[in-house]
Amino acid sequence: MLKFTDTEQHYPDVKAAAKRKKDFDEIYAPFDPAEAAVQAERCSQCGIPFCQIHCPLQNNIPDWLKLTAEGRLEEAYAMSSATNTFPEICGRICPQDRLCEGNCVIEKGFGSVTIGSVEKYITETAFASGWVKPIGGISESGLSVGIIGSGPAGLAAADILRRKGHDVHVYDRSDRAGGLLMYGIPNFKLEKEVVLRRYKLLKDGGIHFHLNKDITDWAELHEKHAAILIATGVYKSREIEIPDYSLGGIVQGLTYLTASNRKGLGDKVGEFDSGVMNAEGKEVVIIGGGDTAMDCVRTAVRQGAKKVTCLYRRDRANMPGSAREVKNAEEEGVQFVWLCAPKAFAGKKAVSQILVQRMRLTTHDMSGRQSVVPVDGETFPLACDMAIKALGFDAEDLPTMFNAPELKLTKYGTLDIDSKTFMTSLPGVYAAGDIVRGASLVVWAIRDGRDAAEAMHAHMMAAQRGKKAA
Ligand SMILES: Cc1cc2nc3c(=O)[nH]c(=O)nc-3n(C[C@H](O)[C@H](O)[C@H](O)COP(=O)(O)OP(=O)(O)OC[C@H]3O[C@@H](n4cnc5c(N)ncnc54)[C@H](O)[C@@H]3O)c2cc1C
């Protein structure tokens, strides 16, 4: 270990932009075994591992790096999967630059250890070597659990609860499991075979999936299960209500990405085939600066758009999306127009132009963030025949959706839970993931799902003991 002083940081090879623009395949090559060991050896095994502290899952990163450096990969996998239900997914799409790698103590001056790439390497080796097995050898508890939502929060909870012997049923309104892992995040970041492989393992481990099942009344589950977890994510797209926002050619980011992912999965997608959700040959403008916006710009490039522009009202330094994804997008030819927001759409039936308003940042407010205000009189026209809105998401109205007016919400419309027990205001009903936290990250959804599962298990077992004692 401690080789960072003479071994340079190296990430796995990335396909050249001109080549990767032509398909939706993942852009990073895997590490080869020697390279993974050499890069893992750069870890300084520092006394206080900031990588671990800043990982929402508190992954034991220094230890699995050491095991990788020593070639003890089966143990490395056992250790990394002990705290993370989906290390193959986090290794690919966590914003490591803001979490583990961004806090690596050798980052200053030497370049961090390439933690995410090593995590992906360990997990892919484990799959290829047959070390990743479905859940087995459990003793059945006789208790049944219902989980609404098969995104990372729901799946992480399902995994833990099944391991504890419960009869786990996952309900999802979608036709495939995975939530945003399946239909939000594009293939070039996370290939769908990776999600489907994990789904199959969970199914083989005895978890029951009920797909195409939209839960509209929580009472129907209440009768069947000892506990229920709500892990429904946040899906209400935020709007910009400026003149002519209902013209044709103006679409929602997640609808656009879902159509593209479905097409990639081989589905028949009418809106794509008719051109409504297809950027080919168009001058596309994406409005927003988060993960969804970055995925939209890079999808439009791959669909063969004539020109792709990203309008963001703040500047590069204040962008919520990952810096790595912005760099990837720029390499692929996306033009970023910082400090700009749409003021009006124009066109006859469909959009043909956006009137763009220049913005400026104000001084920092109490929260440390700068607000943005329009610069008087500074507007310009931008040609556009497809506008994609990627402005973020809010929670749907859950009390109405589940016919449960007593379900308490926070002022943000997310579910109000007891932070220790994960229970909502409905007894025996828990919640985890984006529906509690607001639009966040996969790694936080996994963490919340795991923690909620532990709390549900403890509560159900206590209730069972109470019943037996009585
Ligand atoms: C385009 C995009 C790109 C992203 N990229 C990244 C990234 O690179 N890295 C990262 O860490 N995070 C990323 N995120 C964020 C991440 O995907 C989410 O934080 C995470 O998926 C939240 O997990 P979840 O399980 O809470 O919800 P979701 O993944 O949203 O899953 C919720 C599930 O609940 C189901 N559901 C909802 N209501 C019902 C109902 N009434 N009945 C039955 N089922 C229901 C939905 O169909 C869905 O399958 C991205 C998000 C988006 C939108």
Side-chain angles (χ1 to χ4, degrees), residues 93 149 152-153 172-173 179-180 189 214-215 235 295 434 440 442:
I93 58 162
D172 204 297
R173 63 184 172 193
L180 292 171
K189 277 166 59 184
D214 192 358
I215 301 299
Y235 283 89
D295 290 349
D434 279 5
S440 180
V442 169

Side-chain angles (χ1 to χ4, degrees), residues 308-375:
V308 183
T309 307
C310 180
L311 278 191
Y312 183 52
R313 63 195 180 123
R314 297 171 189 271
D315 59 4
R316 179 190 281 263
N318 285 286
M319 209 163 169
S322 152
R324 182 177 60 187
E325 298 308 316
V326 177
K327 181 172 166 283
N328 283 334
E330 281 181 326
E331 286 171 5
E332 291 165 13
V334 175
Q335 289 186 13
F336 284 85
V337 184
W338 309 109
L339 289 166
C340 280
K343 190 176 162 84
F345 293 109
K348 285 197 178 131
K349 275 191 180 158
V351 64
S352 58
Q353 196 181 75
I354 300 180
L355 181 65
V356 180
Q357 167 74 60
R358 285 203 193 280
M359 311 293 286
R360 70 176 172 79
L361 291 165
T362 62
T363 47
H364 296 268
D365 64 16
M366 296 281 279
S367 70
R369 206 162 191 224
Q370 292 168 283
S371 299
V372 272
V373 290
V375 182

Side-chain angles (χ1 to χ4, degrees), residues 93-95 148-154 171-174 176 178-181 184-186 189 213-216 231-235 254 257 291-292 295 393 396 401-402 432-435 439-443 445:
I93 58 162
C94 264
I148 314 172
S150 67
Y171 303 87
D172 204 297
R173 63 184 172 193
S174 183
R176 290 187 177 94
L180 292 171
L181 302 176
I185 299 173
K189 277 166 59 184
K213 177 74 185 150
D214 192 358
I215 301 299
T216 52
T232 47
V234 287
Y235 283 89
L254 189 56
L257 291 173
D291 280 330
T292 307
D295 290 349
F393 303 93
E396 290 162 289
M401 183 158 113
F402 289 141
D434 279 5
I435 192 56
S440 180
L441 291 174
V442 169
V443 67

Side-chain angles (χ1 to χ4, degrees), residues 133-140 162-165 204-206:
K133 298 263 181 349
I135 303 162
I138 49 173
S139 92
E140 301 289 342
R162 182 66 196 133
R163 284 176 198 281
K164 293 187 184 296
D204 290 349

Side-chain angles (χ1 to χ4, degrees), residues 398-413:
L398 258 65
T400 305
M401 183 158 113
F402 289 141
N403 191 22
E406 58 279 46
L407 200 52
K408 228 173 114 195
L409 302 180
T410 67
K411 63 179 177 181
Y412 305 106

Side-chain angles (χ1 to χ4, degrees), residues 212-403:
N212 293 309
K213 177 74 185 150
D214 192 358
I215 301 299
T216 52
D217 193 333
W218 79 283
E220 68 174 290
L221 297 190
H222 187 55
E223 286 151 18
K224 292 184 194 155
H225 304 293
I228 296 168
L229 178 72
I230 300 176
T232 47
V234 287
Y235 283 89
K236 196 167 97 193
S237 298
R238 290 193 191 132
E239 266 301 348
I240 22 165
E241 299 202 353
I242 57 173
D244 283 341
Y245 74 95
S246 54
L247 279 170
I250 304 173
V251 302
Q252 284 295 353
L254 189 56
T255 318
Y256 170 69
L257 291 173
T258 304
S260 176
N261 276 320
R262 282 192 176 283
K263 196 73 200 161
L265 283 155
D267 292 358
K268 183 148 181 46
V269 186
E271 281 191 311
F272 182 91
D273 298 334
S274 67
V276 177
M277 292 290 167
N278 186 352
E280 189 178 355
K282 295 182 183 166
E283 291 194 65
V284 183
V285 178
I286 284 101
I287 303 154
D291 280 330
T292 307
M294 291 311 95
D295 290 349
C296 289
V297 293
R298 298 180 65 206
T299 297
V301 165
R302 283 161 176 77
Q303 288 177 349
K306 196 158 121 198
K307 185 177 170 204
V308 183
T309 307
C310 180
L311 278 191
Y312 183 52
R313 63 195 180 123
R314 297 171 189 271
D315 59 4
R316 179 190 281 263
N318 285 286
M319 209 163 169
S322 152
R324 182 177 60 187
E325 298 308 316
V326 177
K327 181 172 166 283
N328 283 334
E330 281 181 326
E331 286 171 5
E332 291 165 13
V334 175
Q335 289 186 13
F336 284 85
V337 184
W338 309 109
L339 289 166
C340 280
K343 190 176 162 84
F345 293 109
K348 285 197 178 131
K349 275 191 180 158
V351 64
S352 58
Q353 196 181 75
I354 300 180
L355 181 65
V356 180
Q357 167 74 60
R358 285 203 193 280
M359 311 293 286
R360 70 176 172 79
L361 291 165
T362 62
T363 47
H364 296 268
D365 64 16
M366 296 281 279
S367 70
R369 206 162 191 224
Q370 292 168 283
S371 299
V372 272
V373 290
V375 182
D376 278 346
E378 289 215 20
T379 58
F380 62 92
L382 182 66
C384 161
D385 44 20
M386 181 175 194
I388 303 178
K389 296 176 285 185
L391 303 155
F393 303 93
D394 290 315
E396 290 162 289
D397 177 358
L398 258 65
T400 305
M401 183 158 113
F402 289 141
N403 191 22

